[in-house]
């Protein structure tokens, strides 16, 4: 397959293969942009007092998308999935502790 060739010079099979391979990353990118737009809109408008809970849920979905699709953890054995999830959980704990320290001062 000639990846650097212009679209018009690719055969029909190469174009179909390129579409199939790019579908998941493009859809993931669009989903992440949509979730970012939701998060920014919620942060800018503050429609209700506990909006931070919804924002945290949106961020959790974004992290799950990055873990499963961009890092391709979904194709790994269960032990690798467990430790990658635990790694992100540990980072969340560390960020939470840092924020607690800054906010308590």
């Amino acid at each position: 397959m000639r990846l650097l060739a212009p679209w018009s010079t690719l055969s029909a099979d190469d174009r179909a293969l390129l579409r199939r391979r790019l579908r998941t990353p493009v859809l993931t990118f669009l989903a992440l942009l949509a979730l970012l737009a939701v998060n920014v809109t919620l942060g800018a408008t503050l429609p209700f007092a506990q909006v931070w809970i919804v924002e945290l849920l949106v961020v959790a979905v974004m992290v799950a998308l990055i873990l499963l699709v961009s890092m391709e953890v979904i194709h790994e054995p269960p032990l690798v999935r467990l430790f990658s999830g635990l790694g992100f959980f540990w980072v969340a704990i560390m960020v939470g502790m840092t924020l607690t320290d800054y906010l308590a001062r």
Side-chain angles (χ1 to χ4, degrees):
M1 188 168 89
R2 303 167 307 228
L3 285 179
L4 298 177
W7 183 259
S8 61
T9 61
L10 293 175
S11 68
D13 291 336
D14 288 342
R15 281 186 290 225
L17 179 66
L18 193 60
R19 274 193 212 107
R20 264 186 279 125
R21 295 228 174 142
L22 287 179
R23 180 176 299 145
T24 303
V26 168
L27 289 177
T28 303
F29 176 70
L30 293 175
L32 286 170
L33 280 179
L35 288 169
L36 178 66
V38 167
N39 221 359
V40 168
T41 303
L42 287 174
T45 59
L46 294 173
F48 50 93
Q50 282 77 24
V51 72
W52 63 273
I53 297 171
V54 179
E55 290 175 345
L56 282 178
L57 290 173
V58 170
V59 168
V61 171
M62 291 172 78
V63 167
L65 274 174
I66 290 170
L67 257 176
L68 295 175
V69 180
S70 297
M71 294 177 64
E72 297 180 355
V73 172
I74 200 165
H75 301 296
E76 297 294 330
L79 191 61
V80 173
R81 280 187 255 165
L82 172 71
F83 279 100
S84 63
L86 287 175
F88 269 86
F89 183 67
W90 180 252
V91 168
I93 289 173
M94 297 303 287
V95 168
M97 290 172 70
T98 303
L99 284 176
T100 303
D101 182 44
Y102 277 114
L103 294 175
R105 288 183 185 198

